Amino acid sequence: MLTDEQVMIRDMARNYAQERLAPNAQAREKAGAIEPEIVTELGELGFLGMTIDPDWGGAGADYVSYALALIEIAAGDGSVSTMVSVHNAPVCAVLDRFGSDEQKERWLRPLAEGQHIGSFALTEPQAGSDASNLKSKAARTNEGYTINGAKQFISSARIGKTTVLFAMTDPEAGKKGMSCFVCANDTPGFNVVRVEEKLGQKASDSCALAFEDMKLPFEDRIGEEGQGYAIALSSLEAGRIGIAAQATGLAQAAFDRALAYAKERTAFGKPIFELQAVQFRLSEMATDLEAAKNLVLNAARMKDRGEPCMKEACMAKLFCAQAAERITSEAIQVLGGYGYLADFDIERMYRDQKVCQIYEGTNDIQKLVIARQLA
């Protein structure tokens, strides 16, 4: 069901991920950073502006191609896939949909061309799933806005150069008082106060930010005042398709290693793959993986057709995140003691996948949204 172009993009992403990402994933995790040359290479291959029109520096690919590429990149390194996912959607997606031509030229083009990485600053210490409960404020002045507040769990803020951020221009209006802005990370008053230590995806920086009297001109507001909440929600379909693809890629990598090990490892005079208990475990893993892939690609195809796909995107993220936990856990079980060792990669994949059930809407939030869509 894939076009020649989709197959080409998938295979290019697979080759790159297996040749450049997977071999150094452990070293990347120990260093706690993604090498700048990886960012450059991803940009040159078109993976940092995949669905953006070539007129604005992007690759002009469809969402099926985007999902296929993310699956392969995640199979190479979960940390790199998070950077790629956040950069594409929501960062580039928001600028592409709501930015003016001037903003697209100044901000979107270098992001889509892969000149540098973008971050998305919505979540705050007290506002995760409840995205309307922001405390950061953007006070209007004669020259623009003065922004004060704090953000939490912001991916790529340390290595990025551009941030799409949200603050309240009218705190009394609730979510209708939220506005969206774009800024350079070296703007005075933009402070990365902490890079968090995490269970997994340690090469992807998750940052706590503080805005201290950060001044932005009017032209750095995206959309109208009060449109911020709608802008924040606008990228949920693409974002959740991306995280579902990421979870699927991590699961694929763990499954591949478990299957290869089962065919090589001998016990009781034969490969353990011939043991029914191992066959049943691998059969269930393969079934989960096939279902995950089809849920991701179904949501992506619907988005490419311009059809509403919030329910399908949430279903994909919910199932794929849960399947990734099952598959990586079972992969460890297939390898036994070796699966518990860092040298065999699967324990890192097990840690990396867990956050897929948390960010871009927790699993519980996905269930709530799906239920509302059913109603």
Side-chain angles (χ1 to χ4, degrees), residues 136 147-152 187-194 207-214:
S136 295
I147 299 179
N148 286 279
K151 298 292 180 180
Q152 181 67 4
T187 303
F190 184 111
N191 301 300
V192 177
V193 297
R194 186 173 60 257
C207 303
L209 306 180
F211 304 129
E212 299 175 354
D213 292 331
M214 184 175 73

Side-chain angles (χ1 to χ4, degrees), residues 25-265:
Q26 291 282 26
R28 210 170 281 121
E29 178 178 72
K30 290 180 180 178
I34 298 169
E35 312 93 299
E37 56 267 29
I38 293 296
V39 175
T40 300
E41 291 165 4
L42 289 166
E44 291 173 347
L45 291 169
F47 293 131
L48 296 181
M50 286 201 66
T51 61
I52 304 303
D53 193 290
D55 288 345
W56 298 112
D62 58 17
Y63 278 91
V64 169
S65 298
Y66 173 59
L68 291 167
L70 265 182
I71 288 172
E72 300 301 335
I73 291 170
D77 190 331
S79 291
V80 175
S81 71
T82 289
M83 179 189 72
V84 172
S85 177
V86 172
H87 179 93
N88 275 280
V91 178
C92 287
V94 163
L95 285 163
D96 183 48
R97 182 171 178 182
F98 296 97
S100 65
D101 284 353
E102 291 77 11
Q103 289 172 332
K104 289 180 180 180
E105 184 62 42
R106 181 183 176 190
W107 302 102
L108 178 59
R109 182 179 299 281
L111 289 167
E113 291 177 348
Q115 296 180 29
H116 56 254
I117 293 298
S119 57
F120 188 78
L122 175 63
T123 301
E124 296 186 357
Q126 80 294 333
S129 296
D130 183 8
S132 64
N133 188 31
L134 299 190
K135 302 300 182 187
S136 295
K137 296 179 180 179
R140 193 180 181 103
T141 67
N142 291 332
E143 293 78 27
Y145 299 89
T146 300
I147 299 179
N148 286 279
K151 298 292 180 180
Q152 181 67 4
F153 307 127
I154 309 306
S155 298
S156 304
R158 176 184 61 179
I159 66 170
K161 293 186 178 181
T162 299
T163 294
V164 172
L165 65 103
F166 297 82
M168 305 302 293
T169 45
D170 184 1
E172 303 303 317
K175 63 184 180 183
K176 294 183 179 179
M178 185 191 305
S179 297
C180 181
F181 303 87
V182 60
C183 73
N185 291 18
D186 60 0
T187 303
F190 184 111
N191 301 300
V192 177
V193 297
R194 186 173 60 257
V195 178
E196 304 292 357
E197 295 185 10
K198 302 174 295 183
L199 172 69
Q201 298 204 20
K202 296 184 179 183
S204 168
D205 56 286
S206 298
C207 303
L209 306 180
F211 304 129
E212 299 175 354
D213 292 331
M214 184 175 73
K215 292 177 170 52
L216 298 180
F218 288 115
E219 55 263 30
D220 288 351
R221 187 190 69 225
I222 301 175
E224 302 299 324
E225 280 194 9
Q227 198 180 0
Y229 190 69
I231 292 174
L233 297 184
S234 70
S235 62
L236 289 181
E237 290 179 349
R240 289 171 180 175
I241 290 170
I243 302 306
Q246 179 186 47
T248 302
L250 286 161
Q252 179 72 65
F255 173 78
D256 289 344
R257 283 163 173 75
L259 179 60
Y261 183 85
K263 292 178 178 180
E264 296 169 0
R265 175 74 170 183

